[in-house]
């Protein structure tokens, strides 16, 4: 009898454990948020979706990335009135029955993430209680009986090069997963470099195959030489009021030694400088230049330095111009205008098969846009690209009552590269906590597109790196992508670290 009682108790415990395990597997899908009143709608609707989904995952709930097979569907809305925001969410079971509601409000963006946390906590408690009390069948995707899967629905393997770059035929819509063994063996990685470096530009290529690189942090400019590893040759630091925003290089005087054009903010004014490698040292050849600098091979042509100015009330003012070196001085020549959303740091130009020179721009929400020479929008991407944590501040007291911040944050976008063949190369940084001025990118890839006459088709993309990419450049003559990646972010008590990765593009 004791043995039978023991078996009965054991069976009961197993049943209870199975019930608990089942309860812990309530699958919840959070759809994109509806946004009202906010300027960055496209960014917020997916960011809030990701934030709430992460807050709902726990012991009793499991967030899933598709409504197919989910037990509960959550829809949310975000509404702003001046500084005040309201965030609401409703959860329904597979039968459409409302099983939970929750809302939170706040008075600034600083309160948004805590509000999402409280919203998720309230929803999770109600969902766990009601969904277990009245379980329903999982949601199934709607598909008509006549629907047949197409190649677009299927991902199959494709060959990759030893470079770690995924190659696909322009005529194919099938993207293949990379061969991880071959991908890991391609390219070259530097040792860890001290600090969070923000910019990289090529220096002189030596006869023996070694290469000089200019790298910059927020307060420094460094000269490295690449052979088996990166060797630090020289470093200069800047003043307390000076902040480096970027570096670019070009050999404007044609003496065989590319100069480093360093964009610097001194307080709230531009005071950029020009440096050059002098043996194993760095020499300054120009200071207090009132320009932003950007090195661009416009349309895949010769690498030149372009500039733009700022005014008292505009962060990027006037036309783009070419910087021309004349002796020891510089002149602004050949000005031109950009299409809508364009400024010095987010554009390039490519020539299509008809000979038309189309513009390509990353807009403020991160979407690639192609414009005709006349400025007509021809195409817009459905995915976001670019993404940068490099910024500077300008006083903005006129809007402090609306924004809650006495300063305006200006982020500099990633560079767009166009190859001599007309291909468009653009990076893509991703991260969960990217809302407005709060940016924390965690992973990155680089994509290459070709214009087919009506849209940009992907030709290849690099294997995703688990690091933020602050800058890169493409060396077409050597078919190399040179990436600057941050491998460790700075903390309150710890310093950051970076590395340089060189990958072949066959």
């Amino acid at each position: 009898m004791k043995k039978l009682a023991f078996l009965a108790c054991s069976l009961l415990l197993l049943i209870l454990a199975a019930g608990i395990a089942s309860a812990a597997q309530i699958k919840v899908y959070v759809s994109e948020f509806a946004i009202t009143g906010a300027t960055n709608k496209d960014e917020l609707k997916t960011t809030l979706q990701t934030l709430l989904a992460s807050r709902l995952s726990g012991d009793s709930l499991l967030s899933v990335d598709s409504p197919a097979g989910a037990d509960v569907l959550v829809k949310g809305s975000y509404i702003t009135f001046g500084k005040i925001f309201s965030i609401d969410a409703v959860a329904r079971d597979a039968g459409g029955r409302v099983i939970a509601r929750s809302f939170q409000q706040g008075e600034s963006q600083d309160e948004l993430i805590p509000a999402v946390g409280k919203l998720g906590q309230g929803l999770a408690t109600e969902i766990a209680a009601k969904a277990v009390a009245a379980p329903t069948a999982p949601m199934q995707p709607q598909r008509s009986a006549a629907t047949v899967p197409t190649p677009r629905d299927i991902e199959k393997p494709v060959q990759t090069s030893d470079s770690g770059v995924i190659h696909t035929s322009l005529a194919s819509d099938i993207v293949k997963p990379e061969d991880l063994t071959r991908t890991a063996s391609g390219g070259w990685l530097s040792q860890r470099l001290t600090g969070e470096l923000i910019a990289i530009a090529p220096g002189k290529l030596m006869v023996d195959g070694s290469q000089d690189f200019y790298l910059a942090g927020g307060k420094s400019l460094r000269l490295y030489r690449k052979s088996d590893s990166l060797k630090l040759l020289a470093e200069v630091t800047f003043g307390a009021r000076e902040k480096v925003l970027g570096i670019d290089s070009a050999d404007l005087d044609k003496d065989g030694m590319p100069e480093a054009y360093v964009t610097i903010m001194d307080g709230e004014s531009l005071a950029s400088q020009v440096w050059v490698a002098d043996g194993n040292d760095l020499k300054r050849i120009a200071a207090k230049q009132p320009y932003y600098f950007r090195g661009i091979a416009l349309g895949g042509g010769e690498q030149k330095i372009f500039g733009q100015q700022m005014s008292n009330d505009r962060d990027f003012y006037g036309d783009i111009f070419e910087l021309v070196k004349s002796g020891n001085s510089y002149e602004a020549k050949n000005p031109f205008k950009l299409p809508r959303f364009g400024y010095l740091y987010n554009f390039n130009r490519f020539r299509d098969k008809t000979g038309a020179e189309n513009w390509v721009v990353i807009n403020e929400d991160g979407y690639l846009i192609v414009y005709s020479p006349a400025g007509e929008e021809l195409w817009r991407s459905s995915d976001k690209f670019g993404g940068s944590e490099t910024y500077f501040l300008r006083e903005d007291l006129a809007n402090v009552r609306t924004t809650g911040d006495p300063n305006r944050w200006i982020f500099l976008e990633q560079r767009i590269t166009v190859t001599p063949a007309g291909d468009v190369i653009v990076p893509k940084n991703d991260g969960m906590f990217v809302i407005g001025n709060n940016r924390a990118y965690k992973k990155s890839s680089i994509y290459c597109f070709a214009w087919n006459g009506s849209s940009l088709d992907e030709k290849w993309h690099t294997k995703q790196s688990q690091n933020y990419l602050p800058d890169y450049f493409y060396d077409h003559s050597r078919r190399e992508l040179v990436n600057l990646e941050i491998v460790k972010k700075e903390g309150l008590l710890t310093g950051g670290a970076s590395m340089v990765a060189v990958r072949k593009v066959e």
Side-chain angles (χ1 to χ4, degrees):
M1 290 297 293
K2 290 182 179 180
K3 187 174 183 180
L4 287 175
F6 176 79
L7 290 173
C9 289
S10 299
L11 182 60
L12 180 60
L13 288 173
L14 287 172
I15 293 171
L16 287 173
I20 292 170
S22 176
Q25 297 301 312
I26 299 171
K27 297 179 181 178
V28 181
Y29 173 72
V30 180
S31 62
E32 287 188 347
F33 271 62
I35 309 296
T36 304
T39 56
N40 51 340
K41 292 183 179 181
D42 290 332
E43 183 179 2
L44 274 174
K45 65 184 181 182
T46 54
T47 302
L48 290 174
Q49 175 192 23
T50 303
L51 284 174
L52 183 56
S54 68
R55 300 309 189 270
L56 288 176
S57 286
D59 294 336
S60 56
L61 306 182
L62 175 66
S63 292
V64 295
D65 58 6
S66 170
D71 303 305
V72 177
L73 175 65
V74 176
K75 291 186 177 181
S77 63
Y78 174 85
I79 303 172
T80 59
F81 299 95
K83 293 190 301 180
I84 299 174
F85 70 83
S86 175
I87 182 168
D88 303 74
V90 59
R92 300 176 185 270
D93 62 19
R97 180 173 64 94
V98 175
I99 60 173
R101 291 182 185 273
S102 184
F103 80 94
Q104 293 290 325
Q105 65 182 38
E107 295 186 356
S108 72
Q109 279 201 341
D110 292 337
E111 299 178 14
L112 182 56
I113 292 179
V116 174
K118 294 177 182 177
L119 184 80
Q121 186 178 9
L123 278 177
T125 301
E126 287 193 58
I127 291 172
K130 295 183 180 179
V132 171
T136 56
M139 299 177 182
Q140 299 297 329
Q142 298 296 316
R143 183 185 291 270
S144 67
T147 303
V148 178
T150 68
R152 290 178 180 270
D153 300 320
I154 303 170
E155 291 189 353
K156 297 181 180 179
V158 312
Q159 294 180 348
T160 61
S161 71
D162 290 340
S163 64
V165 178
I166 304 169
H167 294 275
T168 62
S169 169
L170 192 59
S172 173
D173 291 326
I174 300 173
V175 178
K176 307 174 183 181
E178 43 288 324
D179 177 339
L180 296 179
T181 301
R182 298 179 66 193
T183 296
S185 66
W188 176 90
L189 301 178
S190 77
Q191 74 275 24
R192 289 167 65 96
L193 307 176
T194 304
E196 285 190 27
L197 302 177
I198 64 168
I200 185 169
K204 185 176 181 179
L205 178 62
M206 308 299 175
V207 176
D208 61 3
S210 61
Q211 167 99 56
D212 281 0
F213 291 140
Y214 297 109
L215 286 100
K219 293 287 185 182
S220 65
L221 172 66
R222 303 178 189 177
L223 176 65
Y224 284 94
R225 180 160 298 161
K226 171 189 174 291
S227 52
D228 294 333
S229 63
L230 283 183
K231 179 182 179 182
L232 179 62
L233 302 180
E235 180 176 10
V236 293
T237 56
F238 300 101
R241 285 171 45 89
E242 296 175 312
K243 179 177 182 177
V244 177
L245 300 180
I247 53 172
D248 296 87
S249 64
D251 184 10
L252 297 191
D253 56 11
K254 308 299 182 184
D255 65 351
M257 183 67 70
E259 308 91 33
Y261 293 82
V262 189
T263 300
I264 297 176
M265 288 291 295
D266 185 349
E268 291 196 5
S269 302
L270 283 166
S272 299
Q273 302 180 14
V274 184
W275 291 75
V276 69
D278 184 15
N280 290 343
D281 206 350
L282 284 164
K283 179 175 71 175
R284 188 172 66 185
I285 57 177
K288 297 184 178 179
Q289 301 293 303
Y291 311 125
Y292 300 99
F293 294 135
R294 187 64 139 182
I296 304 173
L298 198 60
E302 180 186 0
Q303 175 86 350
K304 297 180 180 180
I305 300 296
F306 294 90
Q308 195 171 14
Q309 295 179 295
M310 68 163 44
S311 66
N312 290 334
D313 59 345
R314 298 185 63 180
D315 302 319
F316 297 92
Y317 173 76
D319 295 341
I320 307 298
F321 57 83
E322 180 183 345
L323 194 71
V324 176
K325 191 173 189 295
S326 177
N328 293 323
S329 62
Y330 290 90
E331 299 179 65
K333 292 188 175 182
N334 307 320
F336 58 89
K337 297 184 182 297
L338 294 179
R340 188 183 181 197
F341 302 120
Y343 68 104
L344 181 65
Y345 289 95
N346 72 341
F347 86 98
N348 208 319
R349 190 172 67 195
F350 65 89
R351 188 184 300 272
D352 66 17
K353 292 181 180 179
T354 69
E357 294 184 321
N358 298 317
W359 301 100
V360 56
V361 168
I362 303 176
N363 75 358
E364 60 183 3
D365 291 321
Y367 295 99
L368 275 176
I369 304 176
V370 175
Y371 293 97
S372 72
E376 175 191 2
E377 183 175 321
L378 302 178
W379 177 83
R380 181 180 297 226
S381 69
S382 57
D383 293 328
K384 294 183 180 183
F385 294 90
S388 171
E389 295 180 10
T390 301
Y391 71 94
F392 62 94
L393 301 176
R394 297 191 76 187
E395 189 176 78
D396 190 12
L397 298 179
N399 293 309
V400 67
R401 295 184 64 182
T402 301
T403 63
D405 194 329
N407 296 309
R408 181 169 64 254
W409 296 52
I410 301 95
F411 287 86
L412 305 187
E413 189 51 84
Q414 291 279 351
R415 65 182 77 242
I416 301 174
T417 302
V418 173
T419 72
D423 294 338
V424 176
I425 297 175
V426 61
K428 180 179 182 179
N429 279 309
D430 284 315
M432 288 186 62
F433 303 105
V434 183
I435 304 176
N437 299 331
N438 300 312
R439 303 193 177 192
Y441 294 107
K442 298 293 186 182
K443 50 190 176 181
S444 59
S445 296
I446 295 181
Y447 287 74
C448 178
F449 298 93
W451 182 249
N452 64 14
S454 59
S455 62
L456 287 175
D457 269 340
E458 183 185 338
K459 293 185 69 175
W460 51 258
H461 65 268
T462 60
K463 173 190 172 185
Q464 189 174 74
S465 168
Q466 297 302 305
N467 302 317
Y468 163 58
L469 178 83
D471 199 12
Y472 81 103
F473 69 85
Y474 174 63
D475 186 337
H476 180 72
S477 63
R478 305 178 77 178
R479 300 294 196 275
E480 289 180 345
L481 281 170
V482 182
N483 299 346
L484 174 62
E485 300 182 11
I486 292 180
V487 297
K488 182 177 179 294
K489 297 288 186 75
E490 291 180 356
L492 292 176
L493 302 175
T494 59
S498 308
M499 76 170 184
V500 175
V502 180
R503 295 183 173 93
K504 283 286 186 181
V505 180
E506 299 298 341

